[in-house]
Amino acid sequence: MELASAVSGLIRAPDPGLLWSKCRIPLLDSRSNRVSVGVGRSVKEMRDARRIASFVVNASSGGAEMETLVVKKTGLRDFKVLAGRPLPFGATACEDGVNFAVYSGSAEAATLCLFTLSDLKENKVSEQISLDPVVNRTGNVWHVFLQGDLKNLLYGYKIDGKFQPEEGHYYDYSRVILDPYAKAVTSREEYGVLGLDGGNWPQMAGMIPVSDVEFDWGGDLPLRLPQKDLVIYEMHVRGFTKHDSSKVDFPGTYIGATEKLDYLKELGINCVELMPCQEFNEMEYFGHSTAMKGKNFLARVNFWGYSTINYFSPMIRYSSAGMSNCGHDAINEFKTFVREAHKRGIEVLLDVVFNHTAEGNENGPILSFRGADNSTYYMLAPKGEFYNYSGCGNTFNCNHPVVRQFIVDCLRYWVVEMHVDGFRFDLASILTRSSRLWDSINVYGNPKDGDMLTTGSPLGTPPLIDMISNDPILRGVKLIAEAWDSGGLYQVGQFPHWTVWSEWNGQYRDIVRQFIKGTNGFSGAFAQCLCGSPNLYQAGGRKPWNSINFVCAHDGFTLADLVTYNNKCNLANGEDNRDGENHNLSWNCGEEGECASITVRRLRKRQMRNFFLCLMVSQGVPMIYMGDEYGHSKGGNNNTYCHDNHLNYFRWDRKEDSSSDFYRFCHLMTKFRSECESLGLDDFPTGDRLQWHGHRHCAPDWSKTSRFVAFSMTDKVMQEIYIAFNTSHLPVTVSLPERPGYIWEPLVDTSKPSPYDFLSDDLPDKPTAIKQYAGFLHSNLYPMLSYSSIILILRPDPESLL
């Protein structure tokens, strides 16, 4: 009786209106003055009170679900605090509030911090809610539910525990960390501008979602374009429209890029691969760059974005809305870009960086993962040192059970919520390395002889890749691996694939560069590239479209610089030209730099056409780097990761310049590829439709000194096409395959000046240009200049009908 009296004032009958219909979580009421829990009370006192309350409730109601305790909160808002649920992770909007859940395996205490936007800007926490380790913790997950109006509020966590780096722990209760599952991140609003206190790492907070916010997708559905039909465009969101010549309303933003989607469609692009646009800090180098200023130095920022802070949030400073609506508007701008791309038949892929984070090594900042559970999220050595397979200070512990689930949850979110069509995984070989404390029990649930592996060892069947490959949502999207890492693991052609993974084909890039510039010994390897690299992919059961073919990408020389420079020119990066690749396989065509003779400049244009033609006639999926289609130059800088300027901006004025004839050639080549049935095959070409040739038809030369490769292919649309590459410094006259009743008609000759490099149907004097070859063609011959390539099409011979 005394026990019941002691708590009679604490317990009320269940109020059905207070039961949350989705989560059904026990309730703590912020409006009652009866009990104060979590503020100034010991854990033992709270535990005793709950035990007493539970006893009385169960005795009187048979254990019915009901509110169990009441908590008084004052200050920021009038809301109710509930125990919450451990799943799903992150902040989840519900009918009448928000559930918060965060993983922290070794934490001793956790506090939910709430911010108004004005307080965040002043580095002030608006409200703190201490979580009870008995009520608000399930396993290794801390959770709480807030019922009430949380609109326009932000959140983070203070997590306490050991600060013992030698054991892998970096808990620091003085820091408010970002929830790894936050869906939008707010910190600085304007790109390239420091925080109010002049720091480059101002306080960050996550957006608290609300249930009444919806986006009008307008019936948008996945395009599901066959991968064999893709032409991928690697694009930087800010760089695409930031230059003044873009003339968009909001340059450098998702909305600005949306305004230029019609240009991509015109070019023949049906898939964009966005360089990292998950939340990162472009100002992270600021503290280092000020000491590196010199004659050739430009202000350094993290322009490329390969240093992720949060994987769920779109980069907020790529939006015109900035922090408006606590990040909701930025999310909607990204969704608008995807929706409008889909309307034009263009898929959207994200370049994701799950190999490392922005927190760096032991000297890096505590932002999110490190403060939540450093020993779980990163690969650590026995004394707490960070493994560095990424070359960026830390390595994400991808195959740890918690981390791999995090990655899968993130990918699903971008597919389901943001409607993206797939992903390119940066340094994807790290995703195949064993996790810290790897053993068969924590992965498979049972021991296996000989299965003990050291941290970072390559795995034949990595659990993360297995999960992604067999996930019912992710298996149906495009999955592209950059199949190498900075630790020396190179898996091109050998990446664990489950038949669904494609690869950036780095071997294609290297072989094509060497053959086109005239290096001996690559004719046979070049032929493999033209066929979709069956030497790499056929034996493993994959297809030509599993090869993502590229000559240039963001990392390295642009196409124009590839034919202009033998040596990198990276002094402006502030690292004394030590950074960037030294082995570029480039050729300046005889003179270094942009100031060159007319003869050299003509040869450079010819070589650019040769590279692009090769890309478009190869089996597999071609990828074009932004700006290469008009000949963008970075002045020989092959590592422009730190430049927010003209080096990385798409120059719309140069693209529109009448002297830029290369764009016309690229546009016509992508169109030609889309019209040819034989240039995007489902399988590797065989002898029943492909025939190899040399200087004489049907007589290919695969010797080490050969610099000539030619082939003909039957085509259901074009009937038959003949393609040849002469990468020798000498001209040659080739004999063409004999086709009685037909004649070969020239379409492309890269040795000719524009517009005669591509004899399109709209060319007024096309018939005259073709007649110039009549003497050769009627003898089944064609003259090729040095360093040139051609495409001929089989047509009925009018004379054979007479």
Side-chain angles (χ1 to χ4, degrees):
M1 189 67 182
E2 291 183 63
L3 180 64
S5 299
V7 296
S8 60
L10 303 181
I11 308 302
R12 292 180 289 163
D15 182 352
L18 296 179
L19 296 178
W20 180 36
S21 62
K22 292 183 180 179
C23 293
R24 302 183 66 80
I25 299 171
L27 176 65
L28 307 176
D29 191 343
S30 67
R31 294 171 297 184
S32 170
N33 293 319
R34 306 216 178 166
V35 172
S36 176
V37 175
V39 180
R41 306 192 72 200
S42 70
V43 172
K44 183 179 184 302
E45 290 175 317
M46 292 187 286
R47 186 186 300 116
D48 289 344
R50 274 188 297 277
R51 185 161 50 248
I52 294 171
S54 177
F55 175 83
V56 174
V57 171
N58 288 331
S60 62
S61 65
E65 183 175 26
M66 60 191 303
E67 58 179 310
T68 59
L69 280 177
V70 185
V71 60
K72 169 64 178 175
K73 296 294 294 180
T74 60
L76 183 62
R77 297 273 176 92
D78 185 25
F79 53 78
K80 298 177 181 179
V81 182
L82 292 72
R85 298 186 65 173
L87 291 175
F89 289 157
T92 305
C94 303
E95 237 174 49
D96 51 358
V98 177
N99 190 69
F100 298 85
V102 63
Y103 170 87
S104 186
S106 302
E108 298 172 358
T111 298
L112 176 66
C113 300
L114 303 179
F115 300 85
T116 62
L117 188 56
S118 58
D119 281 348
L120 178 70
K121 291 179 179 180
E122 298 179 8
N123 289 333
K124 295 179 181 178
V125 177
S126 305
E127 190 76 68
Q128 300 187 52
I129 301 171
S130 297
L131 305 188
D132 182 346
V134 177
V135 170
N136 299 114
R137 183 174 185 175
T138 303
N140 291 328
V141 182
W142 297 78
H143 47 79
V144 66
F145 184 87
L146 300 186
Q147 187 179 57
D149 179 19
L150 299 175
K151 192 171 183 179
N152 295 325
L153 290 182
L154 305 160
Y155 79 105
Y157 291 100
K158 289 184 177 181
I159 298 182
D160 203 7
K162 299 177 182 177
F163 188 89
Q164 294 179 334
E166 67 278 4
E167 294 183 10
H169 300 308
Y170 284 79
Y171 294 110
D172 185 346
Y173 194 71
S174 68
R175 298 175 183 272
V176 180
I177 64 168
L178 191 63
D179 180 5
Y181 277 79
K183 302 305 186 295
V185 175
T186 299
S187 59
R188 294 179 298 101
E189 187 165 23
E190 189 175 351
Y191 188 98
V193 176
L194 295 172
L196 293 178
D197 61 355
N200 57 330
W201 286 106
Q203 179 61 54
M204 293 179 289
M207 170 199 73
I208 296 181
V210 291
S211 59
D212 61 348
V213 175
E214 293 187 4
F215 178 76
D216 181 11
W217 281 105
D220 179 66
L221 292 172
L223 295 177
R224 295 192 177 94
L225 300 178
Q227 188 158 313
K228 69 181 184 65
D229 296 333
L230 296 185
V231 177
I232 299 176
Y233 191 83
E234 189 188 22
M235 188 181 94
H236 190 282
V237 171
R238 179 173 172 85
F240 193 47
T241 61
K242 183 57 181 174
H243 195 267
D244 290 342
S245 61
S246 70
K247 297 180 181 178
V248 298
D249 293 333
F250 300 100
T253 67
Y254 303 118
I255 296 301
T258 301
E259 292 185 49
K260 294 295 188 178
L261 285 170
D262 287 335
Y263 161 75
L264 295 177
K265 186 173 180 61
E266 176 192 71
L267 178 58
I269 302 301
N270 57 10
C271 181
V272 291
E273 181 181 297
L274 301 180
M275 289 176 65
C277 53
Q278 294 166 320
E279 188 66 26
F280 65 91
N281 180 10
E282 76 281 3
M283 299 300 289
E284 68 176 301
Y285 305 141
F286 183 80
H288 306 288
S289 64
T290 53
M292 302 172 67
K293 292 182 179 179
K295 180 179 179 181
N296 298 306
F297 182 76
L298 297 173
R300 295 181 358 133
V301 300
N302 179 4
F303 186 78
W304 284 352
Y306 289 92
S307 191
T308 312
I309 292 172
N310 180 271
Y311 292 97
F312 283 85
S313 170
M315 175 64 167
I316 199 167
R317 289 172 298 286
Y318 283 174
S319 71
S320 65
M323 295 189 294
S324 171
N325 205 10
C326 292
H328 286 284
D329 292 346
I331 292 174
N332 288 341
E333 285 193 23
F334 181 90
K335 290 180 176 179
T336 298
F337 174 83
V338 175
R339 182 190 66 196
E340 296 306 307
H342 286 175
K343 285 181 181 179
R344 292 159 175 80
I346 299 173
E347 293 191 332
V348 178
L349 310 182
L350 289 190
D351 190 342
V352 290
V353 192
F354 288 111
N355 56 81
H356 75 284
T357 76
E359 292 181 305
N361 60 18
E362 65 277 3
N363 298 316
I366 299 173
L367 305 173
S368 179
F369 303 98
R370 178 165 295 159
D373 198 326
N374 183 77
S375 63
T376 290
Y377 284 109
Y378 296 111
M379 284 190 194
L380 304 178
K383 294 185 178 180
E385 305 97 328
F386 289 86
Y387 281 98
N388 190 19
Y389 295 113
S390 68
C392 297
N394 64 54
T395 305
F396 216 43
N397 202 20
C398 298
N399 280 297
H400 185 285
V402 169
V403 183
R404 66 176 183 260
Q405 186 62 60
F406 166 82
I407 293 173
V408 168
D409 288 345
C410 178
L411 297 175
R412 285 175 175 171
Y413 174 80
W414 284 95
V415 172
V416 174
E417 182 65 26
M418 309 296 267
H419 288 208
V420 304
D421 303 282
F423 308 91
R424 178 264 186 187
F425 294 79
D426 183 64
L427 298 184
S429 288
I430 284 176
L431 278 58
T432 73
R433 291 183 180 273
S434 62
S435 66
R436 177 177 186 255
L437 303 179
W438 171 275
D439 63 79
S440 58
I441 293 179
N442 85 23
V443 175
Y444 299 109
N446 56 75
K448 295 183 179 180
D449 292 338
D451 198 50
M452 295 298 292
L453 295 171
T454 59
T455 300
S457 297
L459 303 171
T461 54
L464 172 60
I465 305 301
D466 187 352
M467 286 181 69
I468 295 173
S469 304
N470 294 292
D471 185 84
I473 293 172
L474 302 178
R475 185 176 176 84
V477 304
K478 276 72 175 181
L479 302 171
I480 302 171
E482 183 184 35
W484 55 84
D485 64 25
S486 297
L489 184 54
Y490 188 80
Q491 298 174 306
V492 172
Q494 300 175 331
F495 190 85
H497 55 81
W498 278 264
T499 72
V500 298
W501 284 78
S502 302
E503 298 172 9
W504 263 27
N505 191 342
Q507 290 194 28
Y508 178 98
R509 172 199 60 203
D510 297 345
I511 291 167
V512 168
R513 286 187 179 191
Q514 292 182 92
F515 181 78
I516 294 294
K517 73 172 184 172
T519 306
N520 283 338
F522 285 94
S523 58
F526 181 72
Q528 293 274 12
C529 292
L530 293 172
C531 292
S533 301
N535 57 315
L536 296 177
Y537 301 110
Q538 191 168 31
R542 284 188 281 181
K543 303 297 182 181
W545 45 265
N546 290 121
S547 173
I548 307 301
N549 302 329
F550 66 103
V551 175
C552 298
H554 69 274
D555 192 2
F557 280 148
T558 66
L559 187 57
D561 289 348
L562 186 67
V563 299
T564 305
Y565 295 90
N566 284 351
N567 304 301
K568 65 185 182 183
C569 304
N570 296 1
L571 285 174
N573 298 355
E575 300 181 42
D576 295 325
N577 214 38
R578 293 188 302 267
D579 63 307
E581 179 61 61
N582 293 316
H583 190 57
N584 293 288
L585 302 175
S586 60
W587 179 42
N588 61 18
C589 297
E591 298 177 30
E592 186 77 355
E594 295 184 31
C595 295
S597 65
I598 253 182
T599 303
V600 168
R601 292 204 301 270
R602 286 173 179 166
L603 177 56
R604 288 173 179 174
K605 281 194 173 183
R606 189 186 311 173
Q607 287 290 76
M608 289 172 63
R609 290 192 284 263
N610 290 335
F611 279 120
F612 200 88
L613 185 148
C614 173
L615 195 60
M616 289 299 126
V617 301
S618 298
Q619 301 298 326
V621 178
M623 186 185 78
I624 307 166
Y625 176 53
M626 181 184 83
D628 276 351
E629 71 271 24
Y630 70 81
H632 182 77
S633 172
K634 296 183 180 181
N637 192 324
N638 70 356
N639 191 32
T640 58
Y641 71 99
C642 57
H643 295 285
D644 181 31
N645 54 46
H646 65 281
L647 293 179
N648 282 314
Y649 293 170
F650 190 101
R651 293 293 301 271
W652 295 92
D653 51 346
R654 294 188 179 177
K655 180 264 166 185
E656 299 294 343
D657 192 329
S658 59
S659 64
S660 179
D661 50 33
F662 187 56
Y663 171 78
R664 172 186 178 272
F665 181 83
C666 293
H667 162 65
L668 291 172
M669 279 303 309
T670 56
K671 183 173 182 290
F672 173 74
R673 178 184 174 86
S674 68
E675 293 172 347
C676 282
E677 168 268 342
S678 62
L679 295 182
L681 297 177
D682 281 319
D683 214 335
F684 299 99
T686 58
D688 60 345
R689 72 181 304 161
L690 181 146
Q691 194 171 35
W692 295 106
H693 309 285
H695 294 163
R696 295 174 56 251
H697 65 88
C698 300
D701 181 3
W702 306 120
S703 68
K704 289 185 177 180
T705 58
S706 173
R707 298 186 185 180
F708 184 89
V709 170
F711 66 97
S712 58
M713 287 190 74
T714 57
D715 188 277
K716 293 179 181 178
V717 178
M718 304 291 179
Q719 190 159 312
E720 190 171 2
I721 57 177
Y722 176 91
I723 300 171
F725 297 85
N726 177 31
T727 63
S728 169
H729 62 287
L730 299 174
V732 63
T733 298
V734 299
S735 66
L736 305 173
E738 295 184 6
R739 300 291 184 258
Y742 294 86
I743 191 170
W744 290 102
E745 180 181 292
L747 179 69
V748 178
D749 188 334
T750 62
S751 70
K752 306 298 181 186
S754 182
Y756 303 105
D757 51 357
F758 197 116
L759 301 180
S760 57
D761 290 337
D762 61 351
L763 196 63
D765 49 354
K766 177 181 177 179
T768 303
I770 291 176
K771 283 181 181 179
Q772 293 178 349
Y773 296 94
F776 285 99
L777 295 173
H778 282 102
S779 300
N780 272 327
L781 299 173
Y782 192 91
M784 291 186 69
L785 293 186
S786 60
Y787 302 109
S788 69
S789 50
I790 61 171
I791 299 177
L792 309 179
I793 298 175
L794 197 64
R795 301 294 193 198
D797 185 356
E799 294 184 8
S800 68
L801 302 176
L802 297 178

